[in-house]
Amino acid sequence: MSAILPPPERIWWNLPVGKEEIVWIALSLTWCLIMFAMMPLWHFYGKQNLSNEAYRITASQFEARTKAMADQYEVRTESAMNIPVVHPPAIGDALPNGETSTGDVYMLGRLWQWWPMLELEKDKSYRLHLSSLDWQHGFSLQPININMQVLPDYEMVLTITPDTSGEFTIVCNEYCGINHHTMLGKIYVKE
Amino acid sequence: MSQYRICPDSGLYFDKSAESLMKVNAVAGAVALLVAGVLALLLGLTRWPSIHLLGAADFYMTLTAHGLNALIYWMIFFEIAILYFASSTLLKCRLAGPRWAWLGFALMIIGAVTTNVAIFQGNSSVMMTSYVPMQAAPHFYLGLILFAVGALIGCFVFLGTLVIAKQENTYVGSVPLVTFGAITACIIAVFTIASGAIILIPTFLWSIGLIGHIDSLMYRVIWWGMGHSSQQINVAAHVSVWYAVAAIAFGAKPMSEKVSRGAFLLYILFLQLACAHHILVDPGVSSSWKIFNTSYAMYLAVLASMIHGLTVPGSMEVAQRKKGYTNGLFEWLRKAPWGNPVFSGVFLSIIIFGFIGGITGVIMGTEQINLIIHNTYYVTGHFHSTVAVGTTLTFMALTFFLIPVLFRRQMIMPGLAKWQPYLFAGGMTILILFMLGAGTLGVPRRHWDMGFADAASMGIKFEFPGMAETMMALVGIGAVIAVLGGAIYLLITVGSLLFGKKLEPSAGLLQSFGVPLAASCYTSERPEPAKGPAADLEEHGSAGFEAPGTFVLAMLLLVSFVVYYFINWKYLASVWPLS
């Protein structure tokens, strides 16, 4: 009569199963199926989904694109490191040349900076490009608490629509060496 | 014929060579736990904002060492002892290739020491996960590889022992459920070690300059094939121990062999790509890959854990009811041996593993919800409930049983031992709940200074809400209490091995550390084969509920699960839209 001895009945797999076990398995399996269904359903009905858009990219390519954006749309610099704050156009904004903007904005992670800082407009959408120039970093937007992994050689592109205004901070939450705890970035969202 | 002894107290069979190997592996695990526990205290006191004990470099070094010693060395050493117990002892069989087993043990020791040396030399503070392209010293990886090879040898000794037991007919019928669970752990371990080899060998070659580049995403996917699967070894092992303790403490019989074994089988079939849980917010992996591989469309591994969550306490309830504790729903539980740390440790482990570890784990592993949890302190809270309470507390409880049976020493300070599981589980529960809370507020894991003082001095300021700081202080308090509980465990265990009353005259100091007992304790006559008692004539699985109290507890679990799951979706729905 024991889990540490061989089963007393040789043909144990034909023995009937108790009622509570059957009921519990049925309930649990149902719950498991509901939990599975929630994930695809959220892609159709939910508003918070990661895109599947990603590209291979080299650090120098990504740095060049980010720098080009920063140079074009810099509005001021902040901090002792003179990190530019850039105010790029959102998706659909009219550009000076008469075209509409694709809303591409770039932010890179490197030891130990998020660069540049972004100034965005509330309720407008942007295509945010994220990559790392060196080690792995963690993009953790606070106090909203959205967290994403940022990898070198991979460019992740996702559409974000800030629906609250104010000052937001990007904490690095993937350990990236001795000054990991100093790695902060900013996104400002204006009304 | 090999030599063995039958424990006069428990009736358990101990093969002479297997016995020594179980002892040395368990002792090596306890040493790793000691290291991990000391480091845990330093970490707890550093993340406690007003104490902030260690400097950044020491903190990250300590964190790397804590993770590996607690999560890998303590557990795998102890699990190798469990594999030998579940094969040789439960099947009454000699151990296959004891010399191979000693070689495996030696490699594990050399590997564990090598990696620890690498970490404490200071150039390998890469965290347990050692994500590329951050690079550790070559011997950091080499030590892990040697340890894994040693553990793999242990797995094959276990499998070989099963083959011998079958050939020599040392047991009648099917293997016991606990052995079946150990087989599950072993199969997962082989998969785990294979994944580890596939990623760590190239990474080692990269660290010595023979390979130019390791892709960061590939590393994460394959490393977690080892990293997550190794936690499934722990789950399969500690669930097996739960069944064993139900049998030992209550004489409990599995409610249904078919259901419990089926649940173990689901672990083998549906856990393997659990690495996907760690890649949910990574670029370059599609949503359909993430959704499918975290759930296999049905979450059958979760189902398996939910089944064990019912059947382990259920089997205890059935056994208690047979003893006459039949009043109401919970007399069986009220009258359980709460003063016996073997039982209380396991029961606390079941409750905390199920209610906290299980629920938080599934929620974190949901593709979109991971966005509000990934790499926050919530993750740390989750895995302390699964491995520090689920696995560690279970192994602690089992140790109290093994001290007299395996080591032939009486446990010292039994009064203190009664309190040990409550202290450890209590401290851990405080730690876990406030880690989860701090994580929900966005506090990152693996982070030296949530106050961001150095960043502020460079002109970028950020403060977490005051509540987060309070919670981090409470995490520190929980850590101190849990470390105290762990210290008492080690004090009682080591004290008993050194000074406990000898239950065999020859159970001396050397015998506590692997030397066999006096020759007269052993015999080489062929033992009676292991077999179950005569089949129970009373019908199993009657129309009524055999374990109504457990069923009510299980329903409470399910309701908590459903409510908390949807609370998390609600929270997710409040963050910025992303697509």
Side-chain angles (χ1 to χ4, degrees), chain B residues 2-6 14-17 19-20 23 506 511 514-525:
Chain B
S2 62
Q3 291 203 309
Y4 69 92
R5 69 177 174 85
I6 298 289
F14 285 101
D15 173 72
K16 194 173 177 180
S17 50
E19 181 188 31
S20 296
K23 286 178 183 171
S506 61
Q511 280 67 25
V515 172
L517 299 168
S520 60
C521 297
Y522 300 94
T523 170
S524 49
E525 287 169 49

Side-chain angles (χ1 to χ4, degrees), chain B residues 47-51 434 437-438 441 443 449-453 462-477:
Chain B
R47 293 217 67 173
W48 187 334
S50 58
I51 298 182
F434 291 109
L441 294 174
V443 176
D449 182 19
M450 67 177 284
F452 302 103
F462 176 63
E463 278 181 8
F464 279 106
M467 179 59 85
E469 293 227 354
T470 310
M471 287 196 183
M472 293 301 282
L474 290 163
V475 167
I477 292 170

Side-chain angles (χ1 to χ4, degrees), chain B residues 350-435:
Chain B
I350 294 171
I351 295 293
I352 296 168
F353 179 83
F355 276 85
I356 308 180
I359 292 177
T360 58
V362 179
I363 285 169
M364 274 168 35
T366 304
E367 192 211 358
Q368 297 91 342
I369 293 178
N370 192 256
L371 273 168
I372 53 174
I373 292 177
H374 179 75
N375 270 355
T376 66
Y377 221 27
Y378 191 99
V379 179
T380 320
H382 157 72
F383 67 69
H384 277 81
S385 59
T386 54
V387 289
V389 180
T391 311
T392 300
L393 185 56
T394 296
F395 289 179
M396 287 173 168
L398 183 68
T399 312
F400 293 134
F401 168 74
L402 290 177
I403 289 170
V405 170
L406 173 63
F407 292 93
R408 300 305 287 145
R409 294 276 198 158
Q410 201 169 56
M411 192 170 70
I412 62 165
M413 298 189 273
L416 193 59
K418 271 186 195 177
W419 291 101
Q420 191 276 334
Y422 298 99
L423 200 61
F424 185 76
M428 274 295 173
T429 304
I430 295 171
L431 169 123
I432 291 160
L433 290 177
F434 291 109
M435 278 181 172

Side-chain angles (χ1 to χ4, degrees), chain A residues 2 4, chain B residues 5 7-14 22 26 78 81-82 85-86 89-90 178 240-251 340-346 393-412 417 420-421 489 492-493 496-497 503:
Chain A
S2 162
I4 58 173
Chain B
R5 69 177 174 85
C7 169
D9 300 325
S10 61
L12 289 172
Y13 166 104
F14 285 101
M22 284 181 230
F78 206 91
I82 289 176
F85 180 87
T89 295
L90 296 186
V178 172
S240 303
V241 175
W242 290 352
Y243 280 113
V245 166
I248 291 162
F250 297 97
N340 174 357
V342 181
F343 164 76
S344 61
V346 161
L393 185 56
T394 296
F395 289 179
M396 287 173 168
L398 183 68
T399 312
F400 293 134
F401 168 74
L402 290 177
I403 289 170
V405 170
L406 173 63
F407 292 93
R408 300 305 287 145
R409 294 276 198 158
Q410 201 169 56
M411 192 170 70
I412 62 165
Q420 191 276 334
Y489 162 77
I492 292 171
T493 303
S496 302
L497 261 48
L503 298 174

Side-chain angles (χ1 to χ4, degrees), chain B residues 225-244:
Chain B
M226 171 183 70
H228 200 102
S229 309
S230 73
Q231 306 323 311
Q232 315 300 355
I233 309 173
N234 298 335
V235 173
H238 78 230
V239 171
S240 303
V241 175
W242 290 352
Y243 280 113

